[in-house]
Amino acid sequence: MNKKSVIRATGINKHFYTPTDYHVLRDVSFDVHAGEFVSIMGKSGSGKSTLLYILSTMDTVYEGELFLDDRKITGLPAAELSAVRNEHIGFVFQFHYLLEEFTVLDNVSLPAWKLARKSREEIRAAATELLKLLDISKLADKRASRISGGERQRVAIARALINSPTIIMGDEPTGNLDSKNADNVLAIFRDLVTARDLTLLIVTHDQDFADRTDRIITMEDGRVLV
Ligand SMILES: Nc1ncnc2c1ncn2[C@@H]1O[C@H](COP(=O)(O)OP(=O)(O)OP(=O)(O)O)[C@@H](O)[C@H]1O
């Protein structure tokens, strides 16, 4: 099967110049195809988060080229980049950055309010649907500050889905969960790949989690091992 490339990185190099020149990413090239569930592993300091930051379009200072959904992202002006990000990518982080005083429903709705493509009613309906999908409907009106770690991660996943992205990127999304909740998150991700035709790229230290993804990209000293 010749699936299209959803993420393509070619010859990515990145330097940090603080305090001296540190060559953190070295000729990183790889493809992630439509519908793949890929994990990125590697020792602490190998460059995983730095790479994810570039792939998520938030860091634009690098050498090489990045393509998302066959479109060249490298060199796009900031406004276009932000439109691409909003349209294509949902993020799930270890620390979910929920707004503690907002309800669960409002936290999930927030990215759609920002994008302002739909009415408040449509957004509410879509957010309600996502809570159902993630089996957290009961939490809709609870404040984020009142829910558990596993529940927070589900809210963060629902929020990442609200603008119907084609790609979900995660930085240690199961990092602070116990193994039962980590298993649940994995099962949710797995279902999403099938049900919503998503592509997933997840940085993780969790070998069990990674072993159950379709493919592991391993990083060492800023390089992708092949
Ligand atoms: N802003 C920065 N300035 C200078 N060096 C940095 C900066 N950000 C990261 N680094 C360095 O770049 C290297 C890669 O960092 P990165 O966070 O990408 O690693 P990682 O593989 O995600 O690590 P971890 O698994 O511990 O999160 C590290 O040595 C880090 O100290």
Side-chain angles (χ1 to χ4, degrees):
M1 196 173 18
N2 191 13
K3 280 202 155 186
K4 83 163 185 154
S5 214
V6 172
I7 303 170
R8 166 166 289 174
T10 58
I12 302 279
N13 280 276
K14 166 87 187 170
H15 296 253
F16 285 119
Y17 293 101
T18 47
T20 51
D21 181 5
Y22 180 48
H23 194 172
V24 59
L25 295 179
R26 296 167 179 260
D27 294 322
V28 170
S29 299
F30 63 89
D31 283 77
V32 177
H33 298 104
E36 260 196 308
F37 182 1
V38 174
S39 47
I40 301 182
M41 293 200 83
K43 284 191 191 133
S44 185
S46 57
K48 304 178 298 294
S49 298
T50 305
L51 177 62
L52 198 67
Y53 213 51
I54 290 173
L55 300 176
S56 67
T57 77
M58 290 192 280
D59 182 1
T60 56
V61 184
Y62 59 88
E63 293 146 33
E65 289 185 338
L66 170 65
F67 298 81
L68 293 180
D69 282 337
D70 281 337
R71 179 169 181 202
K72 186 172 164 187
I73 298 303
T74 310
L76 280 185
E80 273 184 63
L81 210 51
S82 142
V84 168
R85 192 182 311 138
N86 289 332
E87 191 152 321
H88 292 262
I89 309 173
F91 303 97
V92 186
F93 298 100
Q94 176 175 2
F95 304 105
H96 344 76
Y97 307 115
L98 301 182
L99 294 178
E100 303 296 335
E101 295 308 311
F102 278 44
T103 65
V104 162
L105 192 70
D106 286 352
N107 266 286
V108 173
S109 304
L110 198 66
W113 293 342
K114 278 198 198 151
L115 198 59
R117 288 227 182 108
K118 291 179 176 166
S119 71
R120 288 274 168 150
E121 291 71 29
E122 285 172 312
I123 293 170
R124 192 181 172 81
T128 304
E129 199 55 41
L130 283 171
L131 295 191
K132 208 187 289 174
L133 181 76
L134 289 158
D135 203 17
I136 46 173
S137 300
K138 277 194 289 191
L139 304 178
D141 297 321
K142 271 201 169 183
R143 285 187 187 190
S145 57
R146 299 290 165 87
I147 64 176
S148 74
E151 290 168 345
R152 291 169 75 81
Q153 200 53 298
R154 283 169 190 254
V155 176
I157 296 171
R159 181 183 56 185
L161 292 168
I162 188 75
N163 288 332
S164 304
T166 51
I167 307 164
I168 295 279
M169 294 187 189
D171 200 354
E172 293 282 347
T174 59
N176 61 350
L177 299 180
D178 60 28
S179 65
K180 184 165 162 272
N181 276 310
D183 272 2
N184 286 338
V185 167
L186 185 110
I188 292 165
F189 280 154
R190 180 53 75 196
D191 286 351
L192 288 172
V193 171
T194 332
R196 297 210 156 202
D197 207 16
L198 281 167
T199 303
L200 261 68
L201 185 64
I202 308 290
V203 167
T204 184
H205 281 115
D206 182 341
Q207 185 73 51
D208 287 345
F209 181 101
D211 284 344
R212 289 151 73 192
T213 62
D214 297 334
R215 179 157 64 98
I216 302 176
I217 291 174
T218 306
M219 293 195 69
E220 193 176 292
D221 297 333
R223 295 183 193 277
V224 164
L225 298 184
V226 283

